[in-house]
Amino acid sequence: MSASFQSSTHQQPHNHTYQQQRWQPLWSQIPNELVTLADYEHAARQHLPVQMQALLFENNLTSDSNKDALDRYHWLPRVLNSKPIDTSCHLYNPHSAVPLDMHLTHPLWLSPVAHQGLYHPQAELETMQAAQVMNTPIVLSSFGNTPFNQLLPQANVGVVQWYWQALPPAQQITVQSTGALTQARREYNLQLIDELIEGGLQLLVLTVDAPHTGVRAVSRRLGAQLPDYCQAVNMPSFSHHHSSLNVSENSLTHLLAQAPTWEDIIWLVARCPVPVMLKGILHPKDAQLAKDSGCAGIIASNHGRRVLADIMPVASCLPKLREYVGDDMIIIADGGVSSGSDMAKLITLGADAVGIGRGYIYGLALAGALGVAHVNKLLLEELEVTMAILGVGSLSELRPDLLSCIN
């Protein structure tokens, strides 16, 4: 039976006018009833205005196939094999164009979530505070509401999620041929990335699965739009990528013409001074291309089903992805996690680390940095308990023979 959560500070109505008034977190202390991430989700659905829920959940407002896929997997524990638990994570790829060698205390990552100012007045600064406390890497969204130069110096690991940028209109006018336009666009993106590196960028995550924002039927149906105070301050002012919920032939044609190709990726990876990961890889042949391009790794993600509702669940894709790229290629899996057991499942299926997106936003909206940190704590404690019950002491011992899929 679902719990009913009461605010320890003040109660905001379900019809809160988020367009005119910034959302404020409900709790300065964590209610005792919040003991799982599922409790946080229930509380978010109970308290957030429906339009904010539409923007947060999109195609997951009524169902989540990523979570359903994870729920089909069940554990086969080994017994009488107790050992100390070590959740440390070593992300190591010596064969990428720029080698990646990252030692982490645990495998949890905070995935990029756009416009966190919608859920807290301090936006990404509040999330960063929790990430620092929990020693959790955070991938900063290009569509965040806080300048990168305020965030990167505070990050445990400087990671930015990047969208391939179109050339500024003024520069496009001076380009005479398609080939020259392609080259100018590449050099422009590298210039922007170099500026991020000067500010503390250590790992670049390039999102490649959203040449268009998608239909976004849930948001459109409910009339949900971003408020004026949510500005993508890290995006070039001329860029309108992902800025509209309208689907038209002209906008689609324009966006596809600006989207990167594998040739662009190869060019960028060869010149980028930091390791590059591609986010949004599900097809094993694309994973192989990413490896051949010199990428340090991939983030297996279906964009939270936001751009395409009937896309394959992440958990269902992981085994084949790992088969194609081998052991050296880093895979971070992001999709459907609601428990530490889910984290363990994704690692068992082939991931090296695990990302969460909406999950920590529940904490941010309900209790600010304290809520984000608490979500991290719950998941990591559950991961340790799951490993103990399975009879494994390290992440490398999470092997496929411990997991069975029930269709």
Side-chain angles (χ1 to χ4, degrees):
M1 181 176 178
S2 297
S4 179
F5 304 107
Q6 300 299 320
S7 169
S8 63
T9 55
H10 64 281
Q11 183 77 22
Q12 297 187 78
H14 202 265
N15 61 352
H16 170 87
T17 56
Y18 75 98
Q19 287 281 357
Q20 291 77 37
Q21 181 183 355
R22 286 181 180 269
W23 176 262
Q24 299 287 338
L26 299 183
W27 300 309
S28 58
Q29 297 180 0
I30 304 298
N32 293 333
E33 297 87 352
L34 288 178
V35 297
T36 67
L37 185 51
D39 294 333
Y40 269 95
E41 179 176 348
H42 173 74
R45 290 179 180 272
Q46 182 180 12
H47 292 294
L48 290 180
V50 65
Q51 289 86 0
M52 286 179 62
Q53 290 190 45
L55 291 168
L56 179 60
F57 288 96
E58 280 294 345
N59 293 316
N60 303 288
L61 191 60
T62 58
S63 63
D64 185 352
S65 59
N66 277 321
K67 175 58 179 167
D68 293 342
L70 281 167
D71 287 343
R72 286 194 288 271
Y73 285 95
H74 295 259
W75 292 112
L76 288 167
R78 300 300 303 271
V79 298
L80 302 177
N81 193 32
S82 297
K83 57 185 71 175
I85 304 299
D86 178 12
T87 62
S88 63
C89 178
H90 185 200
L91 303 184
Y92 181 59
N93 184 349
H95 305 300
S96 51
V98 177
L100 178 65
D101 189 359
M102 190 178 296
H103 292 268
L104 303 171
T105 57
H106 58 74
L108 182 62
W109 287 62
L110 302 185
S111 298
V113 176
H115 299 296
Q116 294 184 29
L118 184 64
Y119 311 104
H120 195 284
Q122 295 301 312
E124 293 81 11
L125 287 170
E126 195 78 2
T127 302
M128 179 64 74
Q129 182 181 343
Q132 287 178 302
V133 170
M134 298 303 298
N135 204 24
T136 300
I138 177 173
V139 185
L140 301 172
S141 171
S142 287
F143 280 86
N145 306 131
T146 308
F148 286 144
N149 60 17
Q150 293 183 29
L151 297 169
L152 283 172
Q154 302 182 45
N156 299 315
V157 182
V159 188
V160 165
Q161 171 265 340
W162 189 249
Y163 285 99
W164 191 256
Q165 294 299 302
L167 200 63
Q171 294 184 34
Q172 291 185 36
I173 295 173
T174 64
V175 179
Q176 302 299 319
S177 68
T178 301
L181 178 62
T182 297
Q183 184 62 25
R185 192 160 53 227
R186 290 172 177 173
E187 293 175 356
Y188 174 66
N189 275 270
L190 184 58
Q191 173 191 336
L192 295 175
I193 292 165
D194 283 340
E195 292 173 1
L196 291 175
I197 293 172
E198 291 178 5
L201 176 69
Q202 297 169 280
L203 173 64
L204 179 71
V205 173
L206 185 65
T207 292
V208 294
D209 63 343
H212 191 282
T213 188
V215 175
R216 303 288 171 115
V218 174
S219 291
R220 293 165 65 198
R221 188 178 298 122
L222 294 173
Q225 295 182 342
L226 286 170
D228 292 338
Y229 57 78
C230 283
Q231 297 293 321
V233 296
N234 295 298
M235 297 293 288
S237 58
F238 65 87
S239 176
H240 300 290
H241 184 60
H242 289 227
S243 63
S244 173
L245 295 177
N246 295 322
V247 179
S248 70
E249 184 63 28
N250 289 334
S251 65
L252 180 60
T253 300
H254 173 74
L255 288 172
L256 292 178
Q258 303 290 345
T261 65
W262 281 110
E263 289 75 17
D264 294 322
I265 299 301
I266 293 170
W267 185 94
L268 177 67
V269 170
R271 290 161 179 81
C272 185
V274 299
V276 177
M277 298 186 72
L278 300 186
K279 181 178 182 292
I281 300 293
L282 294 178
H283 199 292
K285 291 184 178 179
D286 285 338
Q288 182 64 58
L289 286 171
K291 181 178 182 179
D292 295 342
S293 301
C295 292
I298 60 173
I299 298 183
S301 164
N302 58 19
H303 220 96
R305 299 176 61 239
R306 300 175 70 81
V307 298
L308 190 63
D310 48 355
I311 194 170
M312 279 286 287
V314 171
S316 302
C317 299
L318 270 176
K320 191 64 72 173
L321 290 173
R322 179 55 72 192
E323 177 186 335
Y324 267 62
V325 301
D327 293 333
D328 290 331
M329 190 76 165
I330 302 303
I331 299 178
I332 300 176
D334 175 9
V337 169
S338 65
S339 68
S341 179
D342 287 340
M343 289 180 62
K345 288 177 182 179
L346 290 175
I347 294 170
T348 303
L349 291 169
D352 297 291
V354 175
I356 60 168
R358 284 196 314 275
Y360 74 84
I361 296 298
Y362 306 150
L364 179 66
L366 295 169
L370 180 63
V372 177
H374 190 227
V375 165
N376 277 246
K377 180 175 181 289
L378 291 175
L379 291 176
L380 293 173
E381 287 178 348
E382 290 171 357
L383 173 62
E384 291 184 351
V385 171
T386 299
M387 293 171 64
I389 294 173
L390 293 175
V392 303
S394 66
L395 301 180
S396 62
E397 295 178 49
L398 289 168
R399 308 304 301 173
D401 66 295
L402 297 172
L403 206 56
S404 181
C405 185
I406 300 177
N407 294 317

